[in-house]
């Protein structure tokens, strides 16, 4: 949007500058774009631009860190879009402190916001993050800007996730998935298919769940593994899922499904590096746990949706239609769903076998009956 200020954060070396140089190139179709580099020399930015095959005549590079000079230049040029890499390198000479301090970050951001609102210039600002994943500088920075996007990715994985955590003019918690290629970031259009690409036809201890991230549905795999305790207290190793939630679900499994986990190590993993926060994944965790405990194979074309209550009841989930449509699109054949969603589901037609469940007792009966 015209005059919008967007903050882009992420770990060092994750690819923020690469992504924003590509973004700058795309915006040149609307007018002049200025890339302000305070961390890299013009030669370094030029080398990256050549690697990304960026040749637009509307893209200009500025190597400056004094916000007063930047302000004067942008007022004279009035570009459509400006990218600042990074806000921690800028300084205001009237403020008696070094660049990167909370005072300097706040003063420079105020100047940028003034430019954006007064002259209709859109800004992308790069912000560093601290070791605990928070934006470096004053907390006020996140409140000052119009939108905050976090660029995430695990070491050793070639994909990156751009996540919206604040957006005054749109929805939050939206995510986009990119792959890190030699010639830059490429968006992965069918991310569900990507995250499920290495699944076998049948699996033990594995279940697929359609989770909601903002307005998008992603199909993710829940994997569990049980091993005998060799010494000491049983382990509960969890990656990509809330550990406290796993403790609750294992307690429900022991009480309502009669699964004895007191002398077993439990490992839960969400392949691909994404974190599941959607409570609709509860049922998938329990089914994968039951599968590994009983040694029952599960077809890769079966999914599960449902939140669990402490009494073992399977509770209603929201946006059920969007979840089922995503399963249809990827060729799934069946899905376990809460009985409480039946009324709204029966209004539509799906090319899926809908397996309604009220509670975990019904799930046990069903799995014992057809081995699925």
């Amino acid at each position: 949007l015209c005059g919008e200020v967007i903050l882009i954060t992420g770990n060092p070396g994750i690819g923020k500058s690469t992504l924003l140089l590509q973004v700058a190139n795309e915006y040149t179709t609307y007018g002049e774009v200025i890339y302000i580099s305070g961390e890299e020399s013009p030669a370094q930015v030029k080398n990256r631009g050549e690697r990304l095959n960026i040749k637009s005549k509307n893209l200009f590079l500025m190597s400056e860190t004094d916000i007063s000079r930047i302000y004067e230049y942008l007022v004279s040029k009035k570009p459509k879009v400006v990218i600042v890499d990074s806000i921690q390198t800028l300084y205001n000479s009237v403020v008696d402190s070094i660049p990167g301090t909370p005072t300097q970050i706040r003063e420079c951001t105020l100047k940028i916001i003034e430019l954006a609102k007064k002259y209709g210039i859109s800004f992308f600002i790069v912000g560093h993050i601290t070791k605990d994943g928070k934006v470096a500088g004053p907390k006020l920075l996140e409140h000052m800007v119009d939108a905050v996007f976090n660029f995430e990715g695990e070491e050793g994985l070639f994909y990156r996730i751009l996540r919206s955590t604040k957006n005054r003019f749109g929805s939050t918690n939206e995510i986009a998935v990119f792959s890190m290629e030699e010639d830059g970031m490429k968006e992965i259009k069918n991310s569900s298919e990507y995250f499920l690409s290495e699944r076998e036809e049948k699996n033990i201890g594995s279940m697929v769940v359609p989770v909601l991230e903002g307005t998008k549905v992603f199909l993710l795999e829940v994997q569990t593994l049980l091993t005998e305790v060799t010494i000491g207290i049983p382990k509960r190793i969890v990656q990509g899922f809330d550990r406290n939630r796993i403790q609750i679900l294992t307690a429900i499994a022991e009480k309502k499904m009669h699964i004895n986990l007191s002398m077993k190590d439990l490992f839960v993993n969400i392949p691909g590096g994404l974190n599941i926060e959607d409570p609709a994944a509860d049922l998938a965790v329990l089914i994968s746990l039951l599968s590994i405990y009983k040694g029952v194979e599960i077809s890769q074309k079966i999914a599960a949706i449902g939140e669990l209550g402490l009494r073992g009841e399977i509770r209603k989930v929201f946006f059920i239609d969007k979840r089922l449509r995503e399963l249809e699109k990827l060729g799934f054949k069946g899905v376990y769903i809460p009985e409480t969603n039946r009324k709204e589901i029966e209004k539509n037609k799906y090319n899926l076998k809908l397996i309604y469940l009220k509670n975990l007792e019904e799930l046990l009966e069903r799995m014992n009956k057809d081995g699925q």
Side-chain angles (χ1 to χ4, degrees):
L1 289 174
C2 182
E4 190 173 5
V5 180
I6 299 170
L7 176 65
I8 308 287
T9 69
N11 288 321
I14 201 169
K16 299 185 296 296
S17 300
T18 297
L19 177 68
L20 286 175
L21 202 52
Q22 290 177 261
V23 167
N25 189 51
E26 292 296 320
Y27 274 107
T28 55
T29 56
Y30 303 101
E32 289 187 353
V33 178
I34 297 177
Y35 189 103
I36 300 172
S37 177
E39 298 193 345
E40 295 180 311
S41 68
Q44 288 173 314
V45 179
K46 180 175 179 288
N47 287 339
R48 180 182 289 114
E50 289 173 350
R51 177 169 58 83
L52 300 175
N53 198 30
I54 292 173
K55 299 176 181 177
S56 175
K57 293 181 179 178
N58 268 350
L59 179 57
F60 299 90
L61 176 63
M62 183 181 187
S63 182
E64 180 59 72
T65 55
D66 188 337
I67 191 66
S68 302
R69 293 179 185 175
I70 291 170
Y71 191 99
E72 290 174 8
Y73 181 73
L74 294 182
V75 168
S76 65
K77 291 285 287 184
K78 292 186 177 65
K80 285 288 182 184
V81 177
V82 175
I83 290 167
V84 178
D85 188 7
S86 66
I87 189 64
Q88 275 85 3
T89 61
L90 300 190
Y91 72 95
N92 190 333
S93 54
V94 301
V95 178
D96 188 21
S97 59
I98 61 173
T101 58
T103 305
Q104 286 286 9
I105 291 172
R106 184 176 60 251
E107 291 300 317
C108 291
T109 305
L110 282 170
K111 283 286 187 183
I112 287 170
I113 291 171
E114 183 184 327
L115 274 168
K117 306 308 177 189
K118 193 172 181 179
Y119 299 99
I121 303 169
S122 298
F123 280 84
F124 289 90
I125 304 173
V126 175
H128 295 313
I129 61 174
T130 58
K131 289 181 180 179
D132 56 357
K134 296 178 181 177
V135 181
K139 186 66 179 175
L140 181 65
L141 178 61
E142 294 175 66
H143 298 295
M144 292 165 70
V145 298
D146 298 307
V148 180
F149 292 93
N150 296 335
F151 206 38
E152 306 167 358
E154 298 290 333
E155 285 186 27
L157 297 177
F158 73 93
Y159 75 86
R160 301 287 184 265
I161 296 167
L162 187 66
R163 186 187 302 274
S164 162
T165 58
K166 174 192 173 179
N167 195 348
R168 282 184 183 146
F169 308 107
S171 58
T172 56
N173 290 320
E174 298 287 350
I175 71 172
V177 183
F178 298 88
S179 61
M180 188 82 158
E181 310 288 346
E182 284 186 10
D183 55 347
M185 299 287 176
K186 305 290 183 185
E187 186 179 2
I188 299 173
K189 298 291 185 182
N190 197 339
S191 47
S192 291
E193 198 170 60
Y194 165 75
F195 285 117
L196 299 179
S197 60
E198 296 179 15
R199 297 189 81 236
E200 297 175 359
E201 187 175 338
K202 286 194 173 183
N203 293 281
I204 294 178
S206 168
M207 198 69 196
V208 171
V209 56
V211 298
L212 207 65
E213 287 279 357
T215 58
K216 283 186 179 179
V217 174
F218 290 84
L219 300 190
L220 298 177
E221 181 185 5
V222 177
Q223 295 179 342
T224 58
L225 180 65
L226 290 172
T227 59
E228 297 295 330
V229 174
T230 53
I231 187 170
I233 301 170
K235 297 189 187 100
R236 299 291 182 260
I237 308 297
V238 184
Q239 187 159 337
F241 206 90
D242 182 52
R243 193 173 187 277
N244 290 332
R245 190 65 188 164
I246 291 296
Q247 298 279 25
I248 292 171
L249 293 177
T250 52
I252 294 170
E254 289 186 326
K255 186 72 175 178
K256 298 296 179 181
M257 301 173 76
H258 313 296
I259 297 176
N260 185 7
L261 302 174
S262 60
M263 293 305 294
K264 292 187 182 294
D265 292 329
L266 170 62
F267 303 87
V268 179
N269 180 45
I270 311 301
L274 275 180
N275 291 316
I276 294 181
E277 297 179 2
D278 191 342
D282 287 354
L283 185 58
V285 173
L286 263 293
I287 292 176
S288 65
L289 184 58
L290 189 61
S291 165
I292 194 73
Y293 187 81
K294 291 182 173 289
V296 176
E297 289 187 332
I298 300 173
S299 167
Q300 68 164 355
K301 296 300 180 183
I302 301 290
I305 309 168
E307 181 182 353
L308 268 291
L310 292 180
R311 298 188 305 274
E313 76 276 17
I314 300 171
R315 303 171 67 87
K316 184 177 181 177
V317 298
F318 297 102
F319 303 102
I320 190 73
D321 180 67
K322 292 185 76 167
R323 300 174 196 265
L324 295 179
R325 295 300 180 197
E326 184 70 14
L327 290 169
E328 271 188 326
K329 192 170 76 176
L330 268 75
F332 276 71
K333 303 300 182 187
V335 55
Y336 292 99
I337 48 177
E339 175 68 37
T340 47
N341 281 107
R342 185 189 284 268
K343 283 187 180 179
E344 61 179 297
I345 289 173
E346 287 182 340
K347 297 176 185 176
N348 305 307
K349 289 186 178 180
Y350 304 96
N351 295 320
L352 293 163
K353 182 183 178 182
L354 304 176
I355 309 163
Y356 293 100
L357 297 171
K358 290 181 182 178
N359 48 49
L360 293 179
E361 285 80 2
E362 288 190 4
L363 171 64
L364 274 173
E365 289 175 16
R366 186 84 198 192
M367 291 187 79
N368 289 332
K369 178 182 175 183
D370 55 20
Q372 198 64 303

